[in-house]
Amino acid sequence: MIIKNILIPYQDLTKVSIHDTAGKTLEMIDSEQLLSLPVVDGNQFIGIISKRYILEEFYNSNEEKETFLKRPVVEFMKTKVPCLSSDDLVEEALKLLCEHNVQFIPIVNEKNEFAGIVSHKAVFRTFRNALGIGHTRLVITTYDLKGRLAKLSEIIAKENGNIMSIVQVDPEVMGLKELILRVEITNAQKLVKVLNENGFTVRKVN
């Protein structure tokens, strides 16, 4: 899946400009119950500002609160933030979210204009759906014989089931393969019975 399918578009974002003050930014963060906000200059992404960055700057300064809150966020925002293209893969966003201490990854279009963001929540929701979490989980052992996977799919389809995800594990035992499936199925017990009758050993169902 590519990023453009899961990004929060620019027009839907709460964002601050390079001219906004620390006081205004704190109000926006608190009112929206967010951790951080993108800082923009027109349609260009400039950096990220968070409540933590603002508070750290305040505690390290000798300014009065009223004076500090009038300072523009551009003075202490985070600017070294990796960006991705809207046509990049979601896996790239996941990698950057894991490697960098940021709440979101900014996304730019082919004109290098700020197109939106990809958040932790959006990425995890995508992989949760891809893994079929929430559907019946089957752990199946079978011999690594040609056509076995096709046969398995055929049986599940005949039982009005739908494979949401499938992972093959090699236990390195006597040519056996372990298959971990997430299946959308109404009668899981009937499916298990049919699979066992056709030479598939269903080890776990949950």
Side-chain angles (χ1 to χ4, degrees):
M1 180 179 290
I2 57 176
I3 284 173
K4 69 171 61 174
N5 294 326
I6 69 167
L7 66 77
I8 302 173
Y10 175 89
Q11 60 269 24
D12 294 341
L13 290 173
T14 300
K15 45 196 175 289
V16 296
S17 80
I18 58 174
H19 306 294
D20 284 331
T21 64
K24 179 180 179 181
T25 301
L26 283 174
E27 289 177 2
M28 294 173 67
I29 289 174
D30 289 340
S31 64
E32 298 290 336
Q33 297 183 330
L34 299 170
L35 295 175
S36 61
L37 294 173
V39 182
V40 299
D41 183 10
N43 60 4
Q44 298 296 312
F45 172 81
I46 305 300
I48 292 178
I49 188 67
S50 72
K51 191 171 185 176
R52 179 171 66 87
Y53 300 159
I54 294 174
L55 294 179
E56 285 178 351
E57 180 71 15
F58 174 65
Y59 291 138
N60 291 328
S61 72
N62 295 318
E63 296 177 278
E64 294 292 330
K65 180 179 179 181
E66 291 74 16
T67 302
F68 174 80
L69 291 177
K70 294 178 182 179
R71 288 175 59 187
V73 294
V74 70
E75 294 182 3
F76 40 85
M77 65 182 181
K78 184 173 183 176
T79 57
K80 293 183 179 180
V81 183
C83 294
L84 289 173
S85 163
S86 54
D87 291 323
D88 285 331
L89 295 175
V90 173
E91 290 91 326
E92 290 298 316
L94 176 61
K95 179 182 177 182
L96 292 180
L97 286 169
C98 291
E99 292 177 349
H100 298 268
N101 187 25
V102 292
Q103 284 74 47
F104 60 81
I105 300 298
I107 307 302
V108 296
N109 61 23
E110 64 279 359
K111 297 179 181 179
N112 205 36
E113 298 170 336
F114 187 30
I117 66 170
V118 171
S119 65
H120 287 266
K121 184 176 180 180
V123 170
F124 293 144
R125 182 171 58 243
T126 298
F127 281 95
R128 180 196 64 192
N129 293 338
L131 292 172
I133 295 174
H135 296 284
T136 300
R137 178 176 180 270
L138 303 176
V139 179
I140 299 171
T141 301
T142 183
Y143 285 101
D144 186 18
L145 301 176
K146 184 177 180 179
R148 292 298 282 169
L149 190 56
K151 180 64 176 178
L152 176 64
S153 301
E154 179 184 347
I155 293 171
I156 293 174
K158 284 183 178 180
E159 294 301 317
N160 296 316
N162 184 31
I163 298 175
M164 308 303 294
S165 70
I166 183 168
V167 176
Q168 179 175 294
V169 179
D170 186 359
E172 299 182 354
V173 178
M174 298 174 62
L176 291 174
K177 297 295 180 182
E178 185 173 84
L179 304 174
I180 304 172
L181 289 81
R182 291 279 182 175
V183 181
E184 185 179 39
I185 188 73
T186 301
N187 192 335
Q189 294 306 316
K190 182 184 177 185
L191 174 61
V192 170
K193 181 175 182 295
V194 174
L195 288 172
N196 285 328
E197 290 173 348
N198 282 270
F200 294 95
T201 304
V202 181
R203 296 179 47 245
K204 292 183 182 178
V205 184
N206 59 302

